[in-house]
């Protein structure tokens, strides 16, 4: 893992949350985005979790 969890400023689609998580976990951001969408569809709380992360995660 690479340091602190922060929103990505370079690899972002909406707020940079998935890009930041991917950088932190050393994964491809596309994989993180796909997993986030799948979890959102299956469990229904992914959109709320994304909004909370976008507010709480610091920017780079």
């Amino acid at each position: 893992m690479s340091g602190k969890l922060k929103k990505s400023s370079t690899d972002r689609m909406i707020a940079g949350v998935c890009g930041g998580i991917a950088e932190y976990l050393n994964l491809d951001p596309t994989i993180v985005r796909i997993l986030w969408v799948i979890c959102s569809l299956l469990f229904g709380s992914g959109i709320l979790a994304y909004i909370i992360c976008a507010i709480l995660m610091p920017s780079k």
Side-chain angles (χ1 to χ4, degrees), residues 7 19-20 23-26 30 36 38 43 49-51 58-59:
K7 292 187 281 189
E23 287 176 12
Y24 182 75
L25 297 176
N26 229 5
T30 305
W36 199 292
I38 290 170
F43 304 116
Y50 191 91
I51 293 169
S59 297

Side-chain angles (χ1 to χ4, degrees), residues 10-59:
T10 57
D11 192 14
R12 60 189 306 165
M13 297 287 277
I14 299 173
V17 173
C18 290
I21 292 171
E23 287 176 12
Y24 182 75
L25 297 176
N26 229 5
L27 294 172
D28 183 11
T30 305
I31 294 171
V32 175
R33 289 181 185 114
I34 290 171
L35 289 173
W36 199 292
V37 168
I38 290 170
C39 289
S40 295
L41 293 174
L42 292 177
F43 304 116
S45 62
I47 295 171
L48 179 62
Y50 191 91
I51 293 169
I52 291 170
C53 287
I55 293 169
L56 296 178
M57 282 176 63
S59 297

Side-chain angles (χ1 to χ4, degrees), residues 1-6 23-24:
M1 297 192 193
S2 61
K4 294 184 177 185
L5 179 61
K6 296 184 178 186
E23 287 176 12
Y24 182 75

